[in-house]
Amino acid sequence: MSATVAYVPRRTAVVRAVVLREWREALTNKLLIGMTFLPPLVILAAGIGAVAAAAANPPNERDIQALYAAAPAVRGLDPKEAVQGIIAQYFLILFLMIPTIVPLTIAIYSVIGEKANRTLEPLLATPAGVGDLLIAKSIAAMVPAVLVTWLAYFIYLLAVAKVGSGPAQNAVLSPRWLAAMTLMVPLLTLLSVNLGVLISTRVNDIRVAQQIGGLIVVPVVAIGIAQVTGRVVLDDAPILATSVGLFVLDAALIAVARVLFQRENILVRWR
Amino acid sequence: MLRAEKLTKRFEKLTAVDALDLEVREGEVFGFLGPNGAGKTTTIRLLSALIAPTSGTAEIAGFRLGRDDASIRAAVGVLTEHPGLYERLSAHDNLDFYARLYGLPDGLRVARVEHFLRLMGLWDRRHDPIATYSRGMKQKVAIARAALHEPKIIFLDEPTTGLDPDAAKTVRDLILALRAEGRTVFLCTHNLDEADRLCDRIALFRRRTVRVDTPTNLRREVYGAWTEIRLREARPEHLRRVQAVEGVRNASLFDSTLRVDLDDPLRTNPKVIRALVEVGADVAFVTEGKPSLEDVYLQIMEQQS
């Protein structure tokens, strides 16, 4: 029996096709679009509102003393400007919630959507590699999440430049913000995507998957609380250390996702 | 075109496919019949390199299972039990997406997508979301997806289940058109009438192959050959005369119809008719006895169990 000549897709073509198909589908899903843009909008509005409110309402003497106690570095600055700077700095942690919530939702919709519509088997019946499909799904969820976070940051920068003080502007342009945006945002997004994929392999209900995946926000919130209470200072070094930790965690989750994302596993074990 | 030897698939304690031996010839419509839970879908998944066998080997379109899996997936088309289409996308976008995954060159991709949309009568609605399509229309798109990359073998798992008669006929016509193009069609179905009409050969299957043959040979094997002769007015001497004809194994009379069991209808039928005419019988109709494939299937499966 002689072998048949068959077309073989290029890996880049497969990834591109899947990414574009995912986005095309996502753009028709109003709920998903809403859930992609709502968290950044809320955080952005809260961030800008807080800086604007601090600019409009000067702190009283007691607040100033509490501020100097919590952040000795701002001692000597104009209290109103210092408060804005502190607020602008603290909002970094809230901005880091965007790359945890948004890609998780997109990844969950992507995988559970495929399971619900039973589109996985025809997809797996093609010569496309499962690794390429996983990469494509990750890219499709990561790119919008990172872009939305960066867009929100850019808008925040412009707003702080407009309504905020010099220390506030310095805070959002500080190395810790820039390192967080360039390092932590992609790493957190990847973590969230992989977590979304892993949860979706075991769960068939989007809301249940979101509730389980929502737990990823807990460490971020905990760091935020620790920061506000003065127990943690999100400085350059912790951000870099966290980035390294996230990188290791990402690598581990990618390895687990690759094991679960095998043709036979998907067809036989995924429920 | 397809050969499996001792192909086995176990899921922990369950043996879904047990030492399957099978040979499917190029250009034939091969029916794969079996009860629910017999392992038909698992067999399709094995032969389309979606899951790995526990043991045994297979060669599909010239490629070795387990060694050339990506090439096998490129060379075969699979219609799964459910259409599995992207409901928010149009038929055009669904087919275009799969054409890209199968690596069709740009010009050919556009041409094949258009060809199948027109063939399926979906060209005018090509930009409508799949969610607005009927079950039959979705099935047509799913079949187009399976045939889009011109596979040598197409696996069809229950292609007409849930379709109205018009849509089912369209699907059956398409299967015949695929055969006319020289493609091999591996058809899993519960619709025995459909299998009878479409299939060149049939495999009866329950975890392993029970029997493989043409529908005609299976009938003859199980029920033998018989002829039904309707007389204007039947009398006992007509029956006795027919029973005495050389080559007649058995004959019986129901109302005015004689059922004549025989080994070689081509040689014996003329003798039977002559004998009846000689004793003054008025022969109204002569028809070849043909049990339904369902009867054959049930009989063989019952023997097996």
Side-chain angles (χ1 to χ4, degrees), chain A residues 10 59 85 114 147 157 216 235:
Chain A
R10 281 180 296 114
E114 297 249 24
L147 288 180
L157 265 182
I216 194 179
D235 222 332

Side-chain angles (χ1 to χ4, degrees), chain A:
Chain A
M1 204 184 315
S2 63
T4 309
V5 178
Y7 303 109
V8 178
R10 281 180 296 114
R11 294 184 63 186
T12 49
V14 168
V15 172
R16 184 170 177 271
V18 175
V19 168
L20 291 177
R21 198 265 304 147
E22 292 267 344
W23 287 347
R24 203 169 287 152
E25 268 207 299
L27 286 173
T28 64
N29 188 338
K30 287 177 187 161
L31 188 62
L32 183 58
I33 290 173
M35 291 167 84
T36 302
F37 284 100
L38 192 62
L41 281 175
V42 170
I43 290 166
L44 200 53
I48 296 169
V51 172
N57 304 299
N60 58 36
E61 190 55 32
R62 209 178 66 185
D63 293 340
I64 292 167
Q65 293 311 317
L67 172 69
Y68 287 160
V74 300
R75 194 177 289 273
L77 289 177
D78 172 58
K80 198 167 87 174
E81 292 188 350
V83 167
Q84 288 180 51
I86 294 281
I87 288 171
Q89 181 184 312
Y90 279 7
F91 260 84
L92 170 59
I93 198 72
L94 287 179
F95 271 80
L96 290 181
M97 286 173 72
I98 302 172
T100 58
I101 299 168
V102 171
L104 183 80
T105 307
I106 298 174
I108 285 171
Y109 264 87
S110 167
V111 177
I112 294 186
E114 297 249 24
K115 283 166 78 176
N117 286 327
R118 298 172 189 263
T119 47
L120 279 169
E121 188 163 356
L123 190 62
L124 295 171
T126 68
V130 272
D132 296 336
L133 297 178
L134 181 61
I135 289 170
K137 282 195 171 290
S138 300
I139 292 173
M142 276 186 71
V143 170
V146 171
L147 288 180
V148 162
T149 311
W150 285 350
L151 180 66
Y153 171 59
F154 183 67
I155 294 170
Y156 190 55
L157 265 182
L158 294 179
V160 169
K162 183 89 176 162
V163 301
S165 62
Q169 291 167 25
N170 290 340
V172 290
L173 280 170
S174 65
R176 82 190 64 166
W177 263 90
L178 296 175
M181 285 298 132
T182 51
L183 285 176
M184 282 184 75
V185 166
L187 290 169
L188 265 175
T189 306
L190 186 57
L191 179 76
S192 194
V193 166
N194 280 310
L195 202 68
V197 170
L198 295 184
I199 293 166
S200 304
T201 62
R202 291 282 175 265
V203 175
N204 289 326
D205 189 302
I206 286 173
R207 281 165 298 183
V208 174
Q210 280 178 315
Q211 282 164 7
I212 298 169
L215 295 176
I216 194 179
V217 178
V218 173
V220 180
V221 172
I223 293 171
I225 293 168
Q227 185 184 236
V228 171
T229 56
R231 290 175 193 279
V232 165
V233 178
L234 257 193
D235 222 332
D236 301 349
I239 282 177
L240 285 175
T242 311
S243 297
V244 172
L246 283 172
F247 183 81
V248 172
L249 206 55
D250 278 339
L253 274 184
I254 287 171
V256 176
R258 286 204 66 145
V259 170
L260 289 177
F261 218 81
Q262 297 294 324
R263 274 189 171 79
E264 186 154 346
N265 268 337
I266 295 168
L267 290 173
V268 177
R269 296 188 211 288
W270 284 23
R271 291 286 179 263

Side-chain angles (χ1 to χ4, degrees), chain B:
Chain B
M1 180 52 57
L2 186 158
R3 190 170 54 236
E5 288 171 16
K6 304 277 175 267
L7 202 62
T8 301
K9 182 65 185 178
R10 289 193 197 95
F11 297 108
E12 295 169 1
K13 288 178 183 171
L14 173 77
T15 302
V17 177
D18 187 13
L20 171 71
D21 289 318
L22 201 63
E23 184 162 359
V24 180
R25 297 168 193 154
E26 187 167 357
E28 73 175 339
V29 178
F30 187 84
F32 200 59
L33 314 181
N36 287 330
K40 299 190 297 295
T41 299
T42 302
T43 303
I44 286 188
R45 285 176 172 178
L46 282 168
L47 296 174
S48 55
L50 274 166
I51 58 175
T54 309
S55 61
T57 59
E59 196 173 310
I60 298 116
F63 298 108
R64 196 87 176 155
L65 190 63
R67 189 188 65 193
D68 313 314
D69 286 357
S71 300
I72 290 173
R73 286 193 290 273
V76 307
V78 183
L79 172 74
T80 50
E81 206 174 340
H82 302 276
L85 298 162
Y86 296 101
E87 298 268 328
R88 291 174 183 276
L89 300 185
S90 65
H92 177 274
D93 287 351
N94 266 278
L95 294 182
D96 184 75
F97 170 64
Y98 275 96
R100 288 173 193 273
L101 290 195
Y102 279 107
L104 264 62
D106 285 352
L108 184 62
R109 188 186 77 237
V110 172
R112 296 295 295 174
V113 169
E114 179 174 345
H115 167 75
F116 274 101
L117 286 169
R118 287 190 187 281
L119 182 71
M120 300 292 181
L122 298 170
W123 182 249
D124 292 339
R125 292 198 56 189
R126 65 190 181 280
H127 294 308
D128 293 353
I130 290 290
T132 64
Y133 281 24
S134 67
R135 173 92 169 82
M137 291 164 78
K138 286 179 186 176
Q139 192 72 337
K140 287 181 187 175
V141 178
I143 293 173
R145 179 187 60 201
L148 199 57
H149 55 297
E150 302 178 304
K152 282 286 180 186
I153 306 179
I154 302 181
F155 294 96
L156 302 176
D157 197 354
E158 306 287 349
T160 55
T161 301
L163 301 188
D164 63 47
D166 275 354
K169 185 180 182 308
T170 307
V171 170
R172 283 195 291 270
D173 289 346
L174 184 73
I175 291 170
L176 294 174
L178 290 169
R179 179 173 61 182
E181 285 179 5
R183 303 192 196 290
T184 306
V185 179
F186 190 98
L187 175 67
C188 257
T189 180
H190 282 304
N191 186 334
L192 298 173
D193 179 51
E194 178 176 282
D196 201 9
R197 278 195 268 173
L198 294 175
C199 297
D200 300 300
R201 290 191 307 141
I202 284 169
L204 302 184
F205 177 79
R206 183 185 276 160
R207 297 219 168 90
R208 60 169 65 199
T209 307
V210 172
R211 203 73 55 89
V212 183
D213 215 326
T214 63
T216 306
N217 285 347
L218 284 173
R219 275 193 186 91
R220 201 160 288 169
E221 184 187 328
V222 176
Y223 285 93
W226 83 79
T227 303
E228 288 178 354
I229 303 166
R230 188 153 163 213
L231 305 176
R232 229 165 64 157
E233 190 185 339
R235 290 200 296 268
E237 62 263 32
H238 295 156
L239 177 62
R240 282 195 295 276
R241 182 67 188 89
V242 168
Q243 284 169 330
V245 172
E246 185 197 348
V248 171
R249 281 192 286 113
N250 188 32
S252 49
L253 185 63
F254 305 96
D255 296 330
S256 56
T257 302
L258 274 166
R259 177 187 158 126
V260 186
D261 296 315
L262 22 76
D263 294 322
D264 188 351
L266 284 178
R267 284 168 57 92
T268 312
N269 276 340
K271 293 183 195 169
V272 170
I273 302 304
R274 267 198 300 273
L276 283 168
V277 171
E278 278 168 15
V279 291
D282 289 335
V283 176
F285 301 102
V286 180
T287 50
E288 185 185 7
K290 194 177 179 185
S292 70
L293 192 59
E294 184 176 75
D295 293 334
V296 175
Y297 170 89
L298 291 173
Q299 182 83 12
I300 293 176
M301 286 305 187
E302 196 178 288
Q303 283 168 7
Q304 282 298 313
S305 61

